[in-house]
Amino acid sequence: MNARPGTGGGPAPVRIVVIGAGIVGCSLADELTARGARDVTVLEQGPLHAPGGSTSHAPGLVFRTNVSKTLSDFAKYTVEKFSALTEDGRPCFDAVGGLEIATTEEQWAELHRKAGLAASWGIEGEIVDARRCARLWPLLDAAKVLGGFHTPGDGLARALPAARAQTARARARGARFLERHTVTGIEQDAGRVTAVVTDRGTFPADVVVSAAGFWGPVIGAMAGVSVPLLPLAHQYVKTSAFAGPDGRRPILRFQERDLYFREHVEAGAEGSGTGRIGIGSYAHRPMPVDPAAVPAFDDAPVMPSALPFTADDFDPSWDDSRRLLPALDGTRVEEGFNGVFSFTPDGMPLLGETPGLRGFWLAEAVWVTHAAGVAKAVAEWLTEGRPATDVHECAISRFEEVQLSPAYVAERGRQQFAEVYDVIHPLQPPRRPRPLRVSPFHERQRALGAYFLEGTGWERPHWYEANAPLADGIALPERDAWSARHWSPVAAAEARATRERVALYDMTPLRRLEVSGPGAPAFLQYLTTNQLAKKPGSVTYTLLLDDAGGIRSDLTVARLAADRFQIGVNSGMDLDHLSRHAPAGVQVRDITPGTCCVGVWGPRARDLVQPLTRTDFGHRAFGYFKARQAYIGEVPVTALRLSYVGELGWELYTSADLGLRLWDTLWAAGQPYGVIAAGRGAFTSLRLEKGYRAWGQDMTTEHDPYEAGLGWAVRMDKGDFVGRAALAGRSAGSARRRLVCLTLDDPAAVVLGKEPVYVDGAPAGYVTSAAYGCSVGRTVAYAWLPSRAAVPGTAVHVEYFGEKAAATVAAEPLFDPARERVRR
């Protein structure tokens, strides 16, 4: 997106207008101009020196360790960049370090898990005892502390100086920064943004980036775009001055009480031993803020984002603070405010071009911690076509339409605030609003005692209590309290029943698209890596790549007619990608809401299905990776013979109105064969035994097909396709890292994902997916490792809550390597 057509003399530069001169907008202007963008205008409604948004009051805490690798990478870049920026000779980042403490066993365990995440993402950190905590923070009552997690490279970002320093750099490269320009409208034509209207003039634009912070929904409304962001007030106070703070101590987090602490010492007085303590609290009630009602800069008593302090809300946090830091007993809360910040339904930023309006981009819900990293990613996206960091967790198109409703955004935003410092299990579902999206089989599943978790709004059974008797007699290792959450031995019984008999799996939540039209075959052939020039009735596993060869998704493409395809995709991002690139005459339609799917898998699957249909489901007539239109009883289905669990079977699709009939028909017919309903716990275990990858967990745009073990899905001889040029010369042999299968040596050892993997005593990679493999009698994990270690038989260790479990790189797949069971 480097140029637009000119009227002569070559292409004119793309006109980029950034709305908001907070830390994100200033960082973005700097990153854009550093990459050659020549026409960048930043509009700000307030004064440039301190515009009055969240940046103007942000405490500047930067803790890099996050359960999201993407957010950790963003924070790492923020530290790197701001450390090199200066204002008046003083760095814009103070590497005072970070210290998180635990006073309960649960939090102490959580800190060990965090230390594992830090090792996975390449962040220096160590678990320290209570005495070391007291040395790092002498004001602590060490008797109350079990220990802590110390990260010496974390610290304090000086947000306003960093914004000013980047503004100066961007201006030197030609960017314009205009203060006191309030945006009043977004002009558009034929689905594309054309200009930004302000109270002081109109600015033509080819690209508009909303970096307006908690005003993002207001700007989005002007463009007709839903921005799922809820502004909420967060309390911050400063104590009166006292002897103790010296400005050199780490940021302190006391997450059991939703508190953090930092020192405030006047510039030049560091080490003096006199200063104040700043205290931030998330312990109070959620306090939503209407961004449209926030006063303008000149009308605000202090600044628009600093609302009046509500002392009663802070009183319990003040008591907790004094108990932890006894030195505060002689101080008082001298000043405080309720600062406005942005929260999304899942706690992640909102990035990328909006699906509904071309050229309108978001860089919203970004905290100072991640600001420079986000700006770099968005600038790369705009100027080079892709960010180097995988951003699928942040893309605006990750949300379903129902998740954009104001009621949903408000409910989930409040939950995110309340849980911001909570210990969250990786499988923990949101509490409300549920149930939201249910398959036609939902009532049958409830009757079978389904244990539901949630994903993209869908209720997803993870196991069924009706199958509990099947778990009797199955010897399974005892699990610790953490890995036993949202897990049941019933899942193992369901996996075994699938291997031995037959099971029904609800595959309805998996998104499916219909792509049709005369140009559909050529369109899909160009976008994907595998050979799709096959006859109707064929099914092909293939990949979507970006121009750099990164895996943006994996697809299952069923050719149902000469110019009609059904495609299994991963998310709304795939729908957005295909829709954006579809040429005239090609229709891309999301058929998920009006359809449903039952996976029928197991060695007795044909025995169950064949008597229900006149279509020949025999292996010769209906081969593996083939598609047929058929009737199952009275129900018309699209049957795809494929299996994500490594057993004989079919995915059976029908319309939602006939879904219950399909389920009941299969259920009744399966009784003589011991049919069960099985959940995603069994599904995950079975797919890992077969070595099947899950996009978004096991591979992303940061990985190419050869690294991910999917080179077989690339046909370099089929003609041109997106990413082909980038793959030229690459192979599995040239890959510097590989996605490998690990088995844990101790059958009782358990890991869940994102744990660090050690090679020769040093962290060298991390786990992507893991589950207990009932067929192999031990935990199976997939992990990224350097190619030198990706050799079957290599001994490694996986760290789980501070303990290192021995594991071995295994040849894959572990189960049925000859693929005989799926081809019966």
Side-chain angles (χ1 to χ4, degrees), residues 18 21 38 92 118 211 240 253 273 282 287 307 368 450 505 528 559 561 615 622 636 673 675 707 724 777 794 797 803:
V18 178
R38 289 178 285 159
C92 293
S240 55
R253 287 210 286 199
Y282 293 99
M287 295 184 278
L307 304 183
V368 172
Y505 287 81
T528 63
R559 190 169 193 175
T615 302
F622 197 160
Y673 308 108
V675 69
E707 295 172 327
R724 184 182 186 279
T794 302
H797 287 86
E803 300 293 329

Side-chain angles (χ1 to χ4, degrees), residues 477-480 483 688-689 740-758 766-783 785 793-801 803-811 814:
E478 186 174 345
R479 290 200 166 208
D480 65 279
S483 63
L688 287 174
E689 290 180 341
V740 300
C741 177
L742 306 178
T743 56
L744 271 64
D745 295 354
D746 181 353
V750 174
V751 296
L752 300 180
K754 302 190 178 182
E755 296 89 355
V757 181
Y758 288 74
Y766 60 91
V767 173
T768 58
S769 299
Y772 186 80
C774 302
S775 305
V776 298
R778 62 191 64 241
T779 292
V780 180
Y782 272 74
L785 288 178
T794 302
V796 300
H797 287 86
V798 182
E799 183 180 301
Y800 179 75
F801 285 91
E803 300 293 329
K804 290 185 175 63
T808 303
V809 177
L814 297 171

Side-chain angles (χ1 to χ4, degrees), residues 258-329:
D258 298 310
L259 291 168
Y260 62 82
F261 306 86
R262 59 155 293 187
E263 295 183 320
H264 289 275
V265 178
E266 293 297 325
E270 288 89 347
S272 66
T274 300
R276 300 192 290 170
I277 300 295
I279 308 171
S281 171
Y282 293 99
H284 54 81
R285 61 190 170 91
M287 295 184 278
V289 175
D290 179 0
V294 173
F297 185 90
D298 293 325
D299 298 329
V302 180
M303 66 178 79
S305 62
L307 304 183
F309 183 58
T310 52
D312 289 348
D313 289 306
F314 190 76
D315 284 345
S317 292
W318 180 236
D319 291 339
D320 287 333
S321 298
R322 287 183 295 170
R323 278 191 287 269
L324 182 71
L325 307 176
L328 296 182
D329 280 341

Side-chain angles (χ1 to χ4, degrees), residues 177 201 225 820:
F177 286 77
V225 170
E820 296 173 349

Side-chain angles (χ1 to χ4, degrees), residues 709-722:
L710 296 174
W712 57 268
V714 178
R715 295 289 183 265
M716 294 292 284
D717 59 353
K718 77 166 190 171
D720 196 19
F721 59 85
V722 175

Side-chain angles (χ1 to χ4, degrees), residues 334-627:
E334 191 168 70
E335 60 181 272
F337 64 94
N338 292 359
V340 185
F341 287 94
S342 301
F343 289 80
T344 60
D346 60 3
M348 298 295 288
L350 304 172
L351 309 181
E353 189 176 19
T354 58
L357 181 59
R358 298 288 181 91
F360 188 75
W361 288 64
L362 300 181
E364 298 289 13
V366 181
W367 292 10
V368 172
T369 303
H370 311 112
V374 162
K376 175 177 178 287
V378 174
E380 290 170 337
W381 214 340
L382 282 166
T383 60
E384 301 166 26
R386 69 182 291 270
T389 301
D390 169 61
V391 293
H392 82 272
E393 295 174 303
C394 308
I396 178 61
S397 52
R398 72 188 183 270
F399 289 112
E400 303 293 320
E401 185 176 2
V402 68
Q403 295 174 304
L404 299 175
S405 70
Y408 183 94
V409 173
E411 180 65 43
R412 290 290 171 92
R414 288 184 177 93
Q415 289 183 42
Q416 285 298 322
F417 179 89
E419 295 173 351
V420 70
Y421 272 0
D422 288 359
V423 176
I424 304 295
H425 192 275
L427 292 177
Q428 182 172 317
R431 294 189 298 273
R432 298 181 301 272
R434 292 180 63 193
L436 190 62
R437 307 176 80 188
V438 298
S439 79
F441 328 127
H442 186 68
E443 288 306 313
R444 297 293 186 266
Q445 293 165 342
R446 288 183 60 193
L448 292 169
Y451 184 88
F452 290 103
L453 298 182
E454 189 250 31
T456 61
W458 286 101
E459 294 295 315
R460 298 184 176 190
H462 272 240
W463 69 84
Y464 296 84
E465 285 299 326
N467 296 323
L470 300 178
D472 294 342
I474 297 180
L476 294 172
E478 186 174 345
R479 290 200 166 208
D480 65 279
W482 183 256
S483 63
R485 290 189 195 180
H486 309 296
W487 177 87
S488 169
V490 176
E494 293 174 358
R496 177 173 291 187
T498 306
R499 293 273 188 245
E500 295 176 351
R501 302 195 302 273
V502 61
L504 305 184
Y505 287 81
D506 181 2
M507 306 302 290
T508 302
L510 301 184
R511 186 185 288 269
R512 47 207 162 270
L513 312 178
E514 181 183 83
V515 179
S516 60
F523 166 60
L524 292 173
Q525 182 79 328
Y526 177 67
L527 279 190
T528 63
T529 62
N530 213 336
Q531 179 58 262
L532 299 186
K534 301 175 183 178
K535 295 179 181 179
S538 65
V539 181
T540 306
Y541 176 86
T542 188
L543 305 174
L544 282 179
L545 304 183
D546 60 26
D547 289 333
I551 303 171
R552 63 176 305 134
S553 191
D554 62 343
L555 314 178
T556 303
V557 180
R559 190 169 193 175
L560 303 183
D563 60 357
R564 184 167 64 90
F565 298 80
Q566 179 176 306
I567 305 179
V569 301
N570 286 292
S571 72
M573 290 175 286
D574 297 330
L575 170 63
D576 182 47
H577 181 67
L578 268 64
S579 298
R580 287 181 186 278
H581 290 87
V586 173
Q587 293 79 45
V588 178
R589 188 165 65 95
D590 185 0
I591 60 173
T592 313
T595 57
C596 59
C597 178
V598 181
V600 185
W601 291 310
R604 304 304 299 271
R606 185 176 287 116
D607 297 332
L608 190 162
V609 174
Q610 187 61 78
L612 299 174
T613 181
R614 295 184 180 183
T615 302
D616 188 350
F617 272 54
H619 182 63
R620 286 183 176 273
F622 197 160
Y624 191 52
F625 264 73
K626 298 297 181 183

